[in-house]
Amino acid sequence: MFRKFFLFSVVLICVCSVFFGIVFIRSIGISTETYLTDSPFELGKNNHLLEAEWIHKEVLDRPYGIAIDSGGSIYTGTADRRIVRIRTNEKTETFALLGGRPLGLDFDQAGNLFVCVEEVGIVRIDKNGNVRTVISELPDGTPLRFPHGIDVARDGRIFFTVSSLEHSWDNSFLEELSAKPEGMILIAEPDFSKLEILNQELYYPAGIALSRDGRFLLVSEPFRHRISSVPLTGKKRGIEKFFLTNIPGIPTLISGKSAAFWIGIPYYRNEILDRIQEYPEIKNLLSGLPAFFFVQKNPRGLVVSMNDFGDVMANYQDFTGSSISGITAVLEHAGNIFLVSSTSGKIAKMKPVVEEIRFF
């Protein structure tokens, strides 16, 4: 009897230790003052994002992507499964209701809005707000569950990422722990007659953008803290090449609709998560716990601009954390830079900071 009681006590103590250890880890806020990686660009040297101004008053439910139509109206997808349109007079309205969480979005030349929708696929929304699912399966017939970033080329081809074949948006932290190269880049023909897998060995690819000359795609791998290029022509077609590595945060969506690529970095890296990547046993333990116990990311204000050669042309920061943070998408349009803050539930705009455009 005593032996059973002793074993029970040992197991209880171990379980409680793990439980409170995880709670403690979850509560730690890793500050940039104590943990900064060897970044490819300077950090903490500017507060340019303090110049950003909100373009609407209504707080949205965790907006994520961004697209702008020919009339200047701004569109974003929210966690409550809406596509919200923000008119030039700052009025917000529901443009469409979807069957899942909208992520990346982009317009084609005809003014149709294409959206990556979790658990649905790729949907097309016409100018009147009519919704049609145009891609719902992968080439092998399995459901398209987790499309993430999208870019529609001028010729109508659709490039998009699939972040995971196993996990959902809400459980993406499990993808970070598993660290398996199961993400994809796909190309759809304008008439949807053909769907091609360009690369299927990426680590949770998120944002994607086509280069101005159409020779390559830029793709973000948030949990690898890097941006990669993937050629569309030649012998190395579809083969990933690292473009910008050791980013001090988690890069998300990419836009390439202007003279440069713009990348939103909503969170800085977490020291604990970086360190446990070398310990599969700890990662397996964490993956079996509810999301509540998982390490929480710290939202920061950081966006980066790059040219076609991978040079960092600009980085705008709010190092104080007092203005705009959690920026998931950036789009340059009509002389302004528009920023989606998922944590604030709003979209802001600012003028480019000319002095910051330089090579590092």
Side-chain angles (χ1 to χ4, degrees):
M1 183 69 181
F2 175 80
R3 184 180 179 183
K4 291 182 179 180
F5 178 79
F6 177 78
L7 291 175
F8 174 80
S9 300
V10 170
V11 171
L12 181 62
I13 291 172
C14 291
V15 170
C16 290
S17 298
V18 171
F19 176 85
F20 288 109
I22 297 302
V23 172
F24 173 73
I25 289 174
R26 183 180 181 272
S27 66
I28 293 177
I30 302 299
S31 68
T32 56
E33 289 79 8
T34 59
Y35 179 63
L36 285 176
T37 60
D38 185 16
S39 172
F41 50 85
E42 293 184 77
L43 280 172
K45 300 299 182 182
N46 72 69
N47 275 307
H48 293 320
L49 289 177
L50 295 178
E51 303 296 324
E53 300 178 349
W54 303 119
I55 65 170
H56 61 97
K57 295 180 180 179
E58 180 184 346
V59 177
L60 305 177
D61 187 1
R62 287 164 287 166
Y64 192 72
I66 187 172
I68 302 178
D69 65 18
S70 57
S73 293
I74 298 169
Y75 298 74
T76 188
T78 56
D80 53 5
R81 301 186 175 189
R82 293 190 298 156
I83 296 297
V84 175
R85 175 166 57 192
I86 305 169
R87 295 193 178 273
T88 54
N89 62 2
E90 302 186 6
K91 178 183 177 182
T92 60
E93 59 189 10
T94 299
F95 179 64
L97 292 172
L98 303 176
R101 209 295 188 205
L103 298 171
L105 60 165
D106 193 23
F107 280 102
D108 68 4
Q109 294 295 301
N112 297 303
L113 183 63
F114 286 82
V115 187
C116 295
V117 185
E118 185 190 17
E119 299 295 351
V120 176
I122 306 298
V123 305
R124 182 178 63 193
I125 309 174
D126 65 21
K127 296 179 180 179
N128 298 317
N130 299 311
V131 180
R132 177 191 171 192
T133 301
V134 293
I135 305 173
S136 60
E137 296 180 344
L138 295 171
D140 63 0
T142 58
L144 176 55
R145 296 187 57 219
F146 196 171
H148 198 145
I150 189 168
D151 195 352
V152 184
R154 292 181 179 179
D155 62 8
R157 287 180 299 164
I158 301 171
F159 303 91
F160 65 95
T161 59
V162 175
S163 290
S164 176
L165 300 177
E166 182 178 355
H167 302 120
S168 66
W169 166 261
D170 289 335
N171 292 327
S172 58
F173 68 93
L174 294 174
E175 195 74 25
E176 185 172 9
L177 290 175
S178 63
K180 295 179 181 179
E182 297 179 341
M184 299 180 179
I185 295 176
L186 292 98
I187 307 174
E189 292 298 314
D191 60 357
F192 316 111
S193 60
K194 180 182 178 182
L195 183 61
E196 175 194 3
I197 297 176
L198 179 67
N199 185 304
Q200 55 183 344
E201 297 180 344
L202 300 174
Y203 291 88
Y204 191 85
I208 191 169
L210 181 66
S211 63
R212 286 182 295 167
D213 58 13
R215 293 171 53 194
F216 67 91
L217 295 165
L218 216 61
V219 61
S220 64
E221 293 174 285
F223 303 142
R224 290 283 163 163
H225 313 108
R226 69 189 179 205
I227 305 293
S228 300
S229 64
V230 180
L232 290 171
T233 58
K235 294 182 180 180
K236 295 187 177 181
R237 182 178 187 270
I239 299 176
E240 179 185 24
K241 178 181 179 181
F242 300 155
F243 208 68
L244 184 68
T245 59
N246 203 31
I247 296 172
I250 300 175
T252 49
L253 297 181
I254 306 173
S255 68
K257 299 299 184 183
S258 58
F261 296 104
W262 286 92
I263 303 147
I265 303 176
Y267 303 102
Y268 277 167
R269 291 164 67 164
N270 187 289
E271 183 178 10
I272 295 173
L273 287 177
D274 274 8
R275 289 179 176 176
I276 67 171
Q277 294 301 328
E278 300 177 7
Y279 303 98
E281 296 81 4
I282 297 178
K283 292 200 297 181
N284 289 337
L285 173 63
L286 289 174
S287 64
L289 294 171
F292 174 80
F293 299 112
F294 198 66
V295 177
Q296 301 298 294
K297 298 181 178 68
N298 299 312
R300 291 288 182 178
L302 178 61
V303 301
V304 174
S305 175
M306 301 169 58
N307 64 16
D308 286 357
F309 302 101
D311 302 309
V312 176
M313 304 297 292
N315 74 89
Y316 297 164
Q317 305 168 33
D318 174 9
F319 202 70
T320 67
S322 61
S323 178
I324 180 172
S325 62
I327 301 169
T328 54
V330 187
L331 184 61
E332 187 173 0
H333 177 80
N336 290 301
I337 298 170
F338 293 86
L339 313 118
V340 179
S341 172
S342 184
T343 53
S344 300
K346 291 184 179 182
I347 297 176
K349 73 174 181 179
M350 62 180 289
K351 292 289 184 182
V353 181
V354 177
E355 308 91 275
E356 177 65 7
I357 300 179
R358 53 180 172 156
F359 292 93
F360 292 99

